[in-house]
Amino acid sequence: MATRRTFRGGIHPDDHKDATCALPIQEMPPPARVVLPLRQHLGAPAKALVQVGERVAQGQVVGESGGFVSAPVHASIAGEVTAIAKYRHPGGFMAESVVIEARDAAPAPAEGQEPMPWPPHPFTLPGANPDYESMAPDLLRSLIRDAGVVGMGGAAFPTFVKLSPPRGKRVELLVINGAECEPFLTCDHRTMLEETDKVVHGVRILMRALDVARAIVGIEDNKPDAIDVMTRAFAQVPGVSVVACQVKYPQGGEKQLIKALTGREVPPPPGLPLDVGVVVQNVGTAARVADAVMSGLPFIERTITLSGPRMAQPANVRVRLGTMLGDVVAFCGGLTGDPERVIMGGPMMGVTLSDMEVPIVKGTSGFLFFDAQSAADLEAGPCLRCGRCVDICPLRLRPAEIARFVEAGDLDGAQALHVRECMECGSCSYVCPSNRWLVQLFRIAKAKLNERKA
Ligand code: SF4
Ligand code: SF4
């Protein structure tokens, strides 16, 4: 095993993982109600396939894929569809969603008809088989697509699409992302320890689907137990190596991980890992791929981390998709007081929520609850022109200058300084002594540039 690979730039925030890294994943029982947004992935939203009043089985498709870059959405509990309407999405927008409420009994049968068995048998995907080595790559890809598997590292890009490179693009290496570089989050760490076999099978399935002979699993070396478990688990798998990476943010960014593990530089946008012959998948995604192909399980639950100073009992917990955040928090022991700030994801790239009335979605890796003190530490001031943000940007951008253009409303100036290339890693905001909200400015600029293009 090689050790301590890394990339240029980056920062060293306190990882705050001690609160949850040793806590086994708890299993939350299915809730009485779920809200399933039809947009839980990058690409076209799914299209509702059910109607209000319809009874659905667990795992049944409730939203069909809306295009090539899209993913289906499945019922995460059995019950009755009670609404199809717009609900708040944790990404900060309103999204068409299917609401399912659990029911104790089947509806009364029509005269002369047999009563419906209740709850109905959970739906599984036809064609699934533990003997995936005998399955054609096309079948593997279609099972992964039909299970609605998307990247679980945050971006939620449909996995099937990444496994279907365009003509002329040759993939020769699979990189498995076990870096989990965002502070506080430990769900990937626990997945490597507790779903080890599924990760191994998932990696082998992904290699077969991509027709590649080599894979590298990259893990930050603040997880020595995961590195040890994964190294032993892959010891007998030809072509797979486990590599420890230096603890540095954003080590888990696709480009940074590829650079650290292979020395290859992914070209600036629209350049992709494919351009250097690589596909990157997250360790949690690999486990869900194994579920889909070997057991026919649709993607209806995931592990998330709940942490931060306001969380009474920080936890790693497996929850059904669509479970409301408030229900998960209550299951885990509640909060010690009103949070001053709630963030979905990590503190570096996460999204601040206005309230807890949001469901868990496929790309949710965790929620953080901050008290007034931690939130006050984040008050912003003017730029001091210290240049720290420039020194650490892993993409060699000039964040302070871009921010000045955005604040002045000069989108062309921001574009000329490559604001579109910003990966929103948050490193510049982190090192800024004035706590400037640089990433937020860059997100706004990118959204406005996209609007202008549309
Ligand atoms: S400018 Fe973008 S890519 Fe560079 S450090 Fe800031 S957020 Fe990260
Ligand atoms: S780190 Fe902050 S204060 Fe320093 S130059 Fe960048 S934006 Fe200005």
Side-chain angles (χ1 to χ4, degrees), residues 10-11 249-250 256 348-349 389-390 392-400 402 418-419 421-431 438-440 442 446:
I11 55 175
Y249 183 85
Q256 287 67 38
M348 306 300 297
M349 292 188 78
C389 54
V390 181
I392 57 77
C393 176
L395 300 183
R396 303 173 195 226
L397 302 180
R398 290 166 13 217
I402 301 174
H418 310 287
V419 68
E421 292 179 26
C422 169
M423 60 189 279
E424 301 175 16
C425 69
S427 300
C428 50
S429 302
Y430 178 81
V431 296
L438 300 166
V439 184
Q440 281 80 355
F442 304 155
K446 285 161 73 175

Side-chain angles (χ1 to χ4, degrees), residues 256-282:
Q256 287 67 38
L257 193 59
I258 291 169
K259 172 71 179 165
L261 297 176
T262 70
R264 299 176 201 177
E265 300 259 8
V266 178
L272 293 169
L274 269 180
D275 296 321
V276 292
V278 179
V279 163
V280 182
Q281 296 285 355
N282 165 274

Side-chain angles (χ1 to χ4, degrees), residues 73-212:
V73 173
H74 302 80
S76 54
I77 59 172
E80 179 179 345
V81 176
T82 55
I84 300 173
K86 291 205 166 174
Y87 285 80
R88 196 189 306 281
H89 187 285
F93 54 91
M94 302 297 285
E96 189 82 354
S97 306
V98 174
V99 180
I100 303 171
E101 294 186 29
R103 294 285 180 250
D104 291 334
E111 204 177 315
Q113 282 189 346
E114 287 293 309
M116 184 180 185
W118 196 261
H121 201 268
F123 175 91
T124 53
L125 301 163
N129 185 345
D131 181 17
Y132 51 82
E133 298 289 358
S134 67
M135 294 161 74
D138 273 352
L139 177 55
L140 299 176
R141 283 191 290 269
S142 58
L143 282 164
I144 292 165
R145 178 195 61 203
D146 294 347
V149 181
V150 304
M152 292 170 71
F157 192 80
T159 301
F160 148 79
V161 179
K162 272 195 179 179
L163 300 178
S164 312
R167 273 185 206 284
K169 298 280 184 192
R170 204 181 119 52
V171 181
E172 51 86 22
L173 176 67
L174 171 67
V175 164
I176 298 295
N177 192 346
E180 198 167 51
C181 61
E182 271 273 11
F184 290 95
L185 301 180
T186 55
C187 50
D188 286 351
H189 185 172
R190 295 309 310 180
T191 296
M192 287 187 275
L193 295 179
E194 298 182 47
E195 295 191 274
T196 311
D197 287 350
K198 285 187 182 178
V199 173
V200 171
H201 286 305
V203 171
R204 293 175 65 175
I205 292 166
L206 289 165
M207 290 172 75
R208 185 167 174 78
L210 282 166
D211 190 24
V212 299

Side-chain angles (χ1 to χ4, degrees), residues 307-315 329 332-337 369:
S307 193
R310 272 281 183 250
M311 195 67 206
Q313 296 167 30
V329 170
C332 294
L335 301 172
T336 56
F369 304 87

Side-chain angles (χ1 to χ4, degrees), residues 381-390 399-401 403-404 428-429 431-436 438:
C383 177
L384 307 172
R385 298 178 188 255
C386 66
R388 287 188 204 174
C389 54
V390 181
E401 283 181 64
R404 273 197 283 281
C428 50
S429 302
V431 296
C432 177
S434 278
N435 292 327
R436 305 204 74 221
L438 300 166

